[in-house]
Amino acid sequence: MSLRRLALLCFCVLLAACSKVTQENYQKLSAGMPKAEVESLLGKPTDCSGALGMSSCTWGDKTSFISVQYAGDKVLMFSGQGLK
C-alpha cells in the first residue's frame, strides 16, 4: 500500500472517530437551549427545514443521528437514534 493511500485511510478513520453525534453530546442538549449553542456542540447540521418560526435540524445519517426541533431560536424538543 502506498504511503499516500495509508495517509488517506488514517485520515478517514480519524474523521469518523471525531463525530460529534454521540450519546455524550446528546445528553448535553436541553429544552430552551439557543440554536447557536447546539451548533457549537454538534457542528453544522446535515439537514434543516422549517416554516413559520419552527424548524428541524438533523446531524448524522440514517443509522446514527440527533434531531432537534426549534421554536424560533430555542430548542423545543430533541431525539436521537443509534448513538454510542
Side-chain angles (χ1 to χ4, degrees):
M1 185 179 298
S2 73
L3 183 57
R4 189 175 192 172
R5 281 189 176 178
L6 182 59
L8 181 60
L9 178 63
C10 288
F11 176 75
C12 289
V13 168
L14 287 174
L15 186 61
C18 294
S19 174
K20 294 183 176 188
V21 179
T22 64
Q23 183 67 37
E24 181 180 351
N25 283 343
Y26 177 80
Q27 291 174 335
K28 293 177 183 177
L29 297 173
S30 63
M33 180 181 269
K35 190 173 192 175
E37 192 174 337
V38 174
E39 290 183 0
S40 175
L41 178 66
L42 298 176
K44 184 179 177 184
T46 308
D47 182 53
C48 279
S49 61
L52 301 174
M54 304 292 287
S55 61
S56 177
C57 295
T58 304
W59 290 258
D61 56 37
K62 292 178 183 178
T63 60
S64 177
F65 65 85
I66 294 174
S67 179
V68 179
Q69 288 72 46
Y70 298 98
D73 187 33
K74 304 287 184 186
V75 173
L76 182 62
M77 58 187 175
F78 53 93
S79 62
Q81 179 176 314
L83 304 174
K84 295 178 183 177

